[in-house]
Structures are given as C-alpha cells and as structure tokens.
C-alpha cells in the first residue's frame, strides 16, 4: 500500500513538493493550514531606485504600476513570478536574505529609495539590515491567513496519512490547531512528523506528538531523507537514497 504524506503548506507552496513526493512513490494529501491572499499595493512614491522581494507571492496581485526600477529577489521561484509580471532582474536571484542584503549594499548608494514588497507575516531580517542605510518603504503585498477549519474531505484525507512534512513553525502550530478543531487530534498526533528544524517541531512537541523527526539539513532534500528514515525507505527507491 502506498504511504500517504500530509502537507500543511499553503497550496501555492505545496504543489511542487507534492509532485516531488509522488515521483518518489508516495501519495499526498494537501491540507493547507494557511491561505495566501493578495493585498492592495499602494506605494507612496511613483518611482524607486530599486525594488526588493523575497517571495513569488509578492506578485500574486496588482503590484506597482512602474516595473522599470531594478528588482532584486531571493529565489528562482520569486524571479519567475516577477518576470511573468513584466519585471526584469537587476542581478541573478539571491539564494537567501543575507546574500540579497550583500548584493544591495554593493549596488545601491546610501540613502537610495527602496521598496520592499513583503508578506504581512515575516521575519524582520530584511528591514533590520536595510532601514538605516536606505530610504526603505515596506508594502505588504500578500498575507498568509490562518484557516479556521479543514473541510470534511480534508479531515478524512488526514485519517489516511502515515506521516506529515512541516516546513515552518507557524504552519505546524496551525495544523495542530486545525486537527483539534476538526476532531482529528488523536490521528494527527499519531503521524510521523518530519520537521525542517527543531524550532519548527516545538509546537508539535507541545501538542503531544510523539513521533517527531528533524531534518539533518534545513531544506526539502533533508526533509525527504528524514521522511525516508522515519518510514524505512522511499516506496520507489528502497533504502534512503535521494
């Protein structure tokens, strides 16, 4: 019987992960704990010296009307989403926030006007590093809204899962809460919970989950390897190869 894995990420993020899991021989239940909603983008200036984005979700809605300023982003997915909206990258996408900050500091003059297309729920790394050096304006282009409940079909899908992958502390905690609201808490706690880091795992530990595994590397490949160990090998690959 094919092992079924639960994903609690927003649907936009879960699609690619689900496809990779299916190629490895798993079946997947997508049970989003959050929904991504585009926000109105109304910058105070008509033009900026540069624009920054760290997620492709920043381009889900109607963004700034002027797409001519240099754009700096984190991640290839963000780059593709921006280019689909008519933006051109000023440099290759940075692999992480630290590299993006380094690139900006090398490319922009002190005091340059900088627009950050951000999510409402975010870490403060970007603004903390840039606020003192530039005229930084933050516009929240999207919000990750917590769902109030799963549908009956989603709750039934959870019952058929043997494991779950957790990519963020917030979605892990929200998933635990949704399972309780949906009357599926006992089944949820029985799953093998594979987490990106110990920080991600903390809400699950607090909820009483016993089967928690932590990825050795904080990336999806690390999650998949930990999943393999937790379930005794990939269905299509045998012992833990990836």
């Amino acid at each position: 019987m094919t092992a079924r894995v639960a994903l609690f990420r927003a649907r936009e993020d879960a699609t690619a992960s689900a496809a990779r899991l299916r190629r490895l021989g798993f079946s997947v239940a997508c049970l989003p704990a959050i929904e991504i909603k585009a926000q109105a983008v109304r910058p105070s200036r008509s033009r900026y010296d540069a624009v920054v984005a760290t997620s492709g979700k920043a381009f889900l809605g109607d963004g700034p009307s002027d797409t001519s300023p240099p754009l700096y982003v984190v991640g290839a997915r963000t780059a593709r989403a921006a280019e689909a909206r008519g933006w051109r990258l000023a440099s290759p996408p940075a692999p992480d926030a630290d590299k993006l900050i380094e690139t900006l500091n090398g490319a922009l003059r002190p005091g340059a006007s900088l627009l950050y297309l951000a999510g409402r729920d975010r870490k403060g790394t970007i603004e903390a590093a840039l606020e003192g050096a530039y005229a930084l304006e933050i516009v929240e282009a999207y919000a990750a809204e917590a769902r109030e409940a799963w549908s009956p079909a989603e709750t039934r899908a959870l019952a058929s899962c043997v494991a779950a992958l957790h990519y963020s502390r917030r979605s892990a905690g929200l998933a635990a809460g949704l399972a309780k609201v949906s009357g599926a808490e006992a089944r949820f706690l029985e799953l093998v919970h594979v987490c990106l880091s110990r920080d991600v795992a903390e809400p699950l530990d607090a909820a009483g989950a016993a089967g928690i595994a932590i990825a050795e590397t904080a990336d999806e490949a690390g999650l998949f390897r930990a999943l393999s160990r937790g379930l005794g090998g990939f269905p299509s690959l045998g012992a833990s190869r990836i």
Side-chain angles (χ1 to χ4, degrees):
M1 184 175 177
T2 302
R4 196 170 202 191
V5 178
L7 294 178
F8 304 113
R9 312 180 81 189
R11 207 168 295 279
E12 295 84 353
D13 294 323
T15 301
S17 300
R20 295 184 191 106
L21 284 167
R22 291 185 181 109
R23 286 196 293 271
L24 291 170
F26 292 99
S27 66
V28 181
C30 291
L31 311 170
I34 59 175
E35 292 178 333
I36 304 301
K37 296 183 179 180
Q39 307 277 83
V41 176
R42 298 189 180 93
S44 62
R45 300 173 185 247
S46 59
R47 180 171 173 79
Y48 294 81
D49 293 319
V51 177
V52 172
T54 58
S55 170
K57 302 179 188 71
F59 304 97
L60 286 174
D62 294 329
S65 56
D66 181 11
T67 59
S68 63
L71 176 68
Y72 298 86
V73 304
V74 172
R77 289 176 61 188
T78 309
R80 289 193 294 271
E83 289 169 342
R85 286 283 188 165
W87 290 87
R88 291 189 177 183
L89 298 183
S91 67
D96 53 40
D98 289 341
K99 186 61 178 178
L100 175 67
I101 292 163
E102 179 184 323
T103 299
L104 290 168
N105 288 337
L108 303 180
R109 58 175 175 78
S113 59
L114 185 58
L115 176 64
Y116 176 20
L117 300 175
R120 190 184 64 191
D121 300 289
R122 63 186 182 276
K123 295 181 179 179
T125 305
I126 298 291
E127 51 256 56
L130 300 178
E131 276 177 331
Y134 307 104
L136 178 68
E137 180 179 350
I138 301 169
V139 173
E140 293 179 352
Y142 64 95
E145 302 279 3
R147 294 183 67 191
E148 293 183 0
W150 285 322
S151 70
E154 287 173 321
T155 303
R156 288 193 297 272
L158 178 68
S160 66
C161 294
V162 297
L165 297 185
H166 298 279
Y167 291 74
S168 77
R169 181 188 179 104
R170 183 180 182 226
S171 63
L174 290 174
L178 284 166
K180 188 172 185 177
V181 167
S182 301
E185 182 179 28
R187 181 70 190 112
F188 178 85
L189 295 177
E190 290 172 354
L191 300 176
V192 175
H193 294 277
V194 184
C195 303
L196 201 64
S197 68
R198 295 194 180 278
D199 179 67
V200 170
E202 284 185 4
L204 302 168
D205 187 46
I212 297 176
I214 309 298
E216 291 182 356
T217 57
D219 52 28
E220 192 166 73
L223 272 178
F224 288 178
R225 285 192 291 268
L227 176 66
S228 172
R229 289 193 299 272
L231 297 182
F234 290 115
S236 63
L237 297 180
S240 55
R241 293 185 290 133
I242 188 169

